[in-house]
Amino acid sequence: MALKDGLRAWKRIFWRLILLAVGFSGLILYGLPAVRYLETFIPMGTCPLSRMSLLRDNFSGLLRLWYLEKYLARFLETAERHFMVGQRVVYYVFTERPAAVPRLRLGPGRRLRVERVSRGRRWQDVSMERMRTLHAALGGRLGGEVDFVFCMDVDQYFSGAFGPEALADSVAQLHAWHYHWPRPVLPYERDARSAAALASGEGDFYYHGALFGGTVAAVRGMTAHCARAQELDRRRGLEARWHDESHLNKYFWLYKPAKVLSPEFCWSLEIGRRAEIRRPRLLWAPKEYALVRD
């Protein structure tokens, strides 16, 4: 019975494993900024229920290792082939289980580092905490040595060239499932009590939390705004409909992004063929919800 309960709990989990790619210089390469130094943070998901029994916790740990190895390895392998090719890259992995991080052979000038972090109580907390984590990181050494930052979920993989063409002061990603929907039905937070709320008639597009970025200064401002808004909601006993993604959409309504990426930059094959989608750059990986979610 405990094992069955553990399975049910894990079926409700949607892991948000996050990549933060950081660092471009002011050098010019074929008319575009070349990468000076690129760093990557990946806060890994943790067990959401602190009250789980020992058996449930052990079982969740096994699934956590499976998820980490399954998605992170493919993400890194495909990033090596397609992400900022020819540039210096350092991948940082933040996880409660450093031993579970796959060790891959990386190309010249590209490195992988692993940092231990404490576990979150719920998957929603893991997802929302990235705003605070990134803001703090960019306020330290990291922010002083890089120029641009990208944040991406790692339960996806690269399928085409993802390079300096994506750079801008602030970068938002059109959500693959919602970019063609009319504004009244977009899944914004509508509870007026929430700091993430958008009223009827507000909102430009629906942006995906799986990919956003920009300059260090812009992303620091973005993450500070979202972290403060999330804390305000917590004090009110609220939680936005789509967590940090809801707050990100509110931010981009208030402060328009300098560049909006085509859905080709973060596409789901489950949507099917679309005439306008010709060169997918990043694809959602199959989530295997039968194992990790109801």
Side-chain angles (χ1 to χ4, degrees):
M1 179 60 69
L3 183 60
K4 185 175 180 180
D5 289 343
L7 276 170
R8 286 176 176 170
W10 270 85
K11 287 180 181 179
R12 292 192 295 271
I13 295 171
F14 173 61
W15 292 113
R16 298 288 297 274
L17 310 187
I18 299 150
L19 161 78
L20 305 178
V22 192
F24 297 87
S25 74
L27 300 177
I28 301 300
L29 177 64
Y30 299 114
L32 293 172
V35 177
R36 167 170 60 94
Y37 198 69
L38 200 144
E39 298 199 61
T40 303
F41 287 76
I42 309 172
M44 308 311 297
T46 54
C47 178
L49 299 179
S50 59
R51 62 180 180 276
M52 277 181 155
S53 67
L54 180 61
L55 177 58
R56 292 181 189 177
D57 189 61
N58 288 341
F59 182 76
S60 71
L62 292 175
L63 275 180
R64 190 159 49 241
L65 294 177
W66 167 84
Y67 191 97
L68 177 61
E69 294 169 354
K70 178 182 179 66
Y71 289 108
L72 180 57
R74 190 179 189 186
F75 183 94
L76 292 173
E77 289 167 357
T78 57
E80 284 294 285
R81 295 197 296 270
H82 299 294
F83 184 70
M84 302 297 168
V85 175
Q87 312 298 341
R88 294 184 61 195
V89 177
V90 179
Y91 300 104
Y92 275 80
V93 179
F94 287 83
T95 175
E96 66 175 87
R97 296 177 180 269
V101 177
R103 301 292 175 169
L104 305 176
R105 184 172 182 175
L106 306 178
R110 299 166 82 99
R111 293 177 293 166
L112 173 66
R113 297 175 181 169
V114 181
E115 300 287 342
R116 183 186 296 273
V117 294
S118 59
R119 60 191 296 172
R121 187 174 64 87
R122 307 172 309 142
W123 72 263
Q124 295 94 332
D125 297 330
V126 174
S127 175
M128 291 191 291
E129 187 62 25
R130 64 174 167 175
M131 294 296 183
R132 189 187 308 277
T133 299
L134 177 55
H135 180 73
L138 292 176
R141 177 185 61 87
L142 175 61
E145 63 184 1
V146 302
D147 297 317
F148 288 85
V149 182
F150 279 99
C151 177
M152 304 177 188
D153 288 4
V154 302
D155 50 357
Q156 50 193 349
Y157 60 94
F158 291 90
S159 59
F162 195 115
E165 72 279 1
L167 297 180
D169 183 65
S170 59
V171 181
Q173 172 66 54
L174 288 178
H175 199 294
W177 283 94
H178 304 308
Y179 72 96
H180 61 296
W181 286 18
R183 185 169 59 182
V185 297
L186 292 175
Y188 298 128
E189 173 58 53
R190 296 300 190 187
D191 186 341
R193 298 173 300 166
S194 172
L198 286 173
S200 177
E202 294 184 338
D204 298 311
F205 305 100
Y206 190 80
Y207 302 111
H208 199 174
L211 197 167
F212 62 89
T215 63
V216 168
V219 177
R220 282 212 78 205
M222 184 188 311
T223 53
H225 174 96
C226 292
R228 287 194 300 266
Q230 290 167 350
E231 179 59 29
L232 184 59
D233 274 8
R234 288 190 192 99
R235 293 176 183 175
R236 296 170 175 171
L238 302 173
E239 194 166 87
R241 178 180 182 184
W242 291 111
H243 313 106
D244 54 315
E245 185 174 86
S246 295
H247 290 278
L248 186 67
N249 271 273
K250 177 62 173 286
Y251 177 84
F252 280 134
W253 163 246
L254 296 173
Y255 307 96
K256 310 302 185 186
K259 178 172 288 188
V260 177
L261 295 180
S262 157
E264 290 182 324
F265 278 85
C266 192
W267 184 250
S268 172
L269 292 176
E270 294 182 5
I271 296 174
R273 294 182 60 85
R274 291 274 174 84
E276 66 272 19
I277 305 300
R278 301 179 181 180
R279 296 176 55 208
R281 316 297 180 87
L282 194 62
L283 294 173
W284 301 14
K287 302 302 188 289
E288 309 227 13
Y289 291 139
L291 287 176
V292 299
R293 184 181 180 184
D294 280 329

